[in-house]
């Protein structure tokens, strides 16, 4: 028999909010949930990915410290 005093309360219909608007109801140990990002506004899922870093890390380091490689 599990101890009743050690388990968190379970909320069957906890609302999930994004930007103040309700998205859905889920089961949770919290009364309500706030999310910063979700499927509809995530760049991976809505085809709006932007390549931020086009240079490699080594090239960026070399350029920053004005170093040259032996290959040049």
């Amino acid at each position: 028999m599990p101890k009743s005093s050690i388990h968190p309360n379970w909320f069957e219909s906890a609302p999930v909010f994004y930007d103040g608007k309700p998205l859905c109801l889920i089961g949770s140990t919290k009364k309500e949930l706030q999310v910063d990002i979700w499927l509809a506004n995530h760049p991976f899922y809505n085809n709006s990915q932007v390549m931020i870093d086009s240079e490699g890390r080594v090239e960026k380091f070399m350029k920053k410290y004005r170093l040259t490689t032996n290959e040049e």
Side-chain angles (χ1 to χ4, degrees):
M1 177 71 74
K3 294 181 180 178
S4 61
S5 61
I6 64 169
H7 298 287
N9 293 332
W10 184 254
F11 299 97
E12 289 287 328
S13 298
V16 178
F17 291 98
Y18 168 74
D19 199 23
K21 300 172 191 152
L23 295 175
C24 62
L25 298 173
I26 62 169
S28 175
T29 57
K30 295 191 177 196
K31 199 173 237 182
E32 68 179 34
L33 302 163
Q34 300 283 336
V35 294
D36 296 327
I37 197 159
W38 65 296
L39 183 71
N41 74 343
H42 193 282
F44 181 79
Y45 297 109
N46 64 14
N47 294 325
S48 67
Q49 283 184 307
V50 177
M51 182 60 83
I52 295 171
D53 185 15
S54 59
E55 260 186 308
R57 291 192 312 184
V58 174
E59 289 81 11
K60 207 171 178 182
F61 176 85
M62 299 297 273
K63 184 177 173 183
K64 179 178 180 180
Y65 294 105
R66 296 183 185 98
L67 300 173
T68 59
T69 61
N70 293 337
E71 298 169 4
E72 294 178 354

